[in-house]
Amino acid sequence: MPFPKVVYYISGHGYGHAVRSIQIINELIKLGCKVIIKTTTPVFLFKEGLSRPVEILFEGFDVGLEQIDNIRFDLEKTKKSVIKLLASAEERIRKEQKFFSDQGISGIVCDIPFIPLAAAGRLGLPSVGISNFSWDWIYAHYGKWDPEWYSLSEAIRGYYREGDLLLRLPFYGKMEAFRRIEDIPLVTRRSEKEKDRIRLALDLPQDRKIGLVGFSQVELHDQGAKKIEQLSSEYLFLIRPPLNLESNIFRKVEGGEFSFIDLVCAADLVITKAGYGIVADCLSHGTPMIYSDRGEFPEYPILVEGIKSHLSCCYMPKEDLYSGNWESYLERLSSQPRIQPEIRTDGAQVAARRILEWMEIRKGP
């Protein structure tokens, strides 16, 4: 199939969907695909990660969760947004079908919006979902508190059923809506720079451990930063915008020569939430992790099992994260031997090849 044209739909919930999608898109580009991205994820992630510029259309096709910050979310606000999205689903399906026709689209990939899968399915256009969870499974979890979530979940499941193929990532939840499921290895990224060179170029101290605070937004309590600052003789913590923490123990590293994945490579440890993107980043470099909880999010316990199986790690309750009570967790992590993960990380290459194979199969003779 000469130079297929693919629309790649990416959830705007967090950065993990985009980070892994970028790796697959880079592989699709290598294989001769023209890719159009539709997402609400901030553009800087694509500028930083894509091997070459592609067309990006700022348009969202799922809600995810309405976040208060990187850890907390507003479930009632999320439900209202999901109801609104479902009310517009059929109209948006027709709009996407016209887009496919006008643009001469060969097939679509979704991580993991449901509306485009239905749009492609009804046209007989090849479609591939890629994820470790689907939103019907996430939302059904909240039905035990509010039964309306069950009906919303079932409506979403119906749209997922219209997709062709799911490439299922490791650390997955129940994804029963998909008619055909194939497992693929972890999709991740690696720094192309050496750890020592990064640390030297950033003029990082050799007599202190280097931590990376892997949040884009976290609000420390009034005395939190002062408590953390008491650790300054032993630690220096790197942060990236838009996170802004005022203390000499934090050093802000702007974009430019060094990307976020370079900082993961350079760090002795990462403090973060248990999200798929940062877990994959740490797994690809063997970087130890202190992780905090995410409230009632059903992906969380599955990711925690993956973290415990493959990384040096310890858990920090979010109350201690916000209050700056970090010392005991840092000591606990330091007492552990560093584990070198043994897990396949070539999922991007596997996924890209399978996407093109599937489009060729569905195209027929």
Side-chain angles (χ1 to χ4, degrees):
M1 182 168 61
F3 304 110
K5 193 174 184 181
V6 176
V7 190
Y8 208 118
Y9 295 87
I10 305 171
S11 173
H13 178 254
Y15 291 169
H17 300 273
V19 166
R20 65 194 183 200
S21 295
I22 287 167
Q23 310 314 307
I24 299 170
I25 290 167
N26 284 337
E27 295 299 323
L28 288 171
I29 291 170
K30 286 181 187 177
L31 295 173
C33 282
K34 180 176 180 181
V35 180
I36 300 171
I37 297 171
K38 288 198 174 190
T39 188
T40 55
T41 305
V43 173
F44 81 86
L45 278 174
F46 300 98
K47 290 182 177 178
E48 188 176 271
L50 287 171
S51 58
R52 69 180 68 168
V54 304
E55 183 178 3
I56 301 174
L57 302 177
F58 196 76
E59 189 174 1
F61 290 84
D62 60 11
V63 171
L65 294 173
E66 298 283 2
Q67 298 287 151
I68 298 169
D69 59 18
N70 284 165
I71 292 177
R72 298 171 296 173
F73 56 87
D74 186 328
L75 200 54
E76 189 60 32
K77 187 176 179 182
T78 299
K79 187 176 77 170
K80 290 178 181 178
S81 296
V82 171
I83 291 170
K84 183 177 179 181
L85 177 65
L86 286 170
S88 67
E90 293 300 322
E91 178 183 349
R92 299 196 70 187
I93 285 170
R94 291 189 291 271
K95 180 182 174 183
E96 287 310 290
Q97 290 174 330
K98 184 177 186 303
F99 179 80
F100 299 155
S101 178
D102 292 346
Q103 295 289 323
I105 299 302
S106 308
I108 73 163
V109 183
C110 290
D111 185 353
I112 182 76
F114 52 90
I115 288 173
L117 291 171
R122 295 177 193 181
L123 282 181
L125 196 69
S127 62
V128 178
I130 300 178
S131 189
N132 65 311
F133 71 75
S134 53
W135 290 114
D136 60 308
W137 174 66
I138 296 291
Y139 295 148
H141 178 77
Y142 306 120
K144 55 189 173 184
W145 295 290
D146 179 354
E148 190 173 7
W149 280 111
Y150 289 131
S151 60
L152 296 174
S153 174
E154 184 55 40
I156 291 169
R157 191 173 296 122
Y159 290 116
Y160 277 132
R161 289 193 188 103
E162 300 188 68
D164 284 342
L165 170 67
L166 172 71
L167 299 181
R168 186 170 59 184
L169 292 164
F171 317 133
Y172 55 82
K174 290 182 179 179
M175 304 177 78
E176 298 169 336
F178 294 87
R179 294 176 292 171
R180 183 185 180 106
I181 299 174
E182 298 178 10
D183 290 320
I184 62 172
L186 191 71
V187 174
T188 188
R189 54 184 177 171
R190 277 195 62 84
S191 172
E192 297 179 355
K193 301 177 176 69
E194 295 180 6
K195 179 174 182 173
D196 290 343
R197 290 181 178 272
I198 300 169
R199 293 170 76 123
L200 181 64
L202 290 173
D203 194 25
L204 299 178
Q206 298 183 16
D207 59 345
R208 286 187 279 171
K209 291 184 178 179
I210 306 302
L212 172 62
V213 182
F215 293 99
S216 61
Q217 184 183 6
V218 63
E219 296 180 6
L220 297 177
H221 296 164
D222 291 342
Q223 299 299 313
K226 291 182 179 179
K227 287 184 181 179
I228 299 166
E229 195 165 349
Q230 294 173 6
L231 306 172
S232 60
S233 64
E234 298 179 63
Y235 292 92
L236 175 70
F237 295 104
L238 307 179
I239 60 175
R240 283 287 297 269
L243 185 62
N244 186 33
L245 298 173
E246 298 294 339
S247 170
N248 291 333
I249 198 170
F250 299 112
R251 182 183 296 182
K252 186 180 293 185
V253 182
E254 303 284 351
E257 182 181 358
F258 297 104
S259 66
F260 183 81
I261 196 63
D262 294 331
L263 302 186
V264 174
C265 175
D268 296 307
L269 64 110
V270 174
I271 298 177
T272 186
K273 69 176 182 179
Y276 200 96
I278 188 61
V279 170
D281 286 345
C282 289
L283 283 170
S284 68
H285 295 85
T287 307
M289 176 187 290
I290 296 176
Y291 62 91
S292 192
D293 50 276
R294 302 174 63 183
E296 282 289 341
F297 193 65
E299 181 197 30
Y300 170 78
I302 297 172
L303 289 179
V304 167
E305 285 304 308
I307 294 167
K308 289 179 177 179
S309 298
H310 298 287
L311 286 173
S312 306
C313 66
C314 72
Y315 163 67
M316 181 196 298
K318 59 178 178 290
E319 293 80 11
D320 287 331
L321 172 70
Y322 291 129
S323 62
N325 294 320
W326 295 8
E327 185 173 11
S328 63
Y329 306 102
L330 292 165
E331 290 176 350
R332 192 179 309 167
L333 188 66
S334 296
S335 68
Q336 298 180 26
R338 182 158 175 163
I339 298 172
Q340 190 58 44
E342 296 183 1
I343 185 169
R344 282 185 64 182
T345 58
D346 60 339
Q349 296 91 332
V350 172
R353 290 194 299 268
R354 187 62 181 126
I355 289 165
L356 293 190
E357 289 171 359
W358 184 253
M359 289 184 183
E360 187 67 22
I361 290 169
R362 290 281 282 105
K363 180 183 176 184

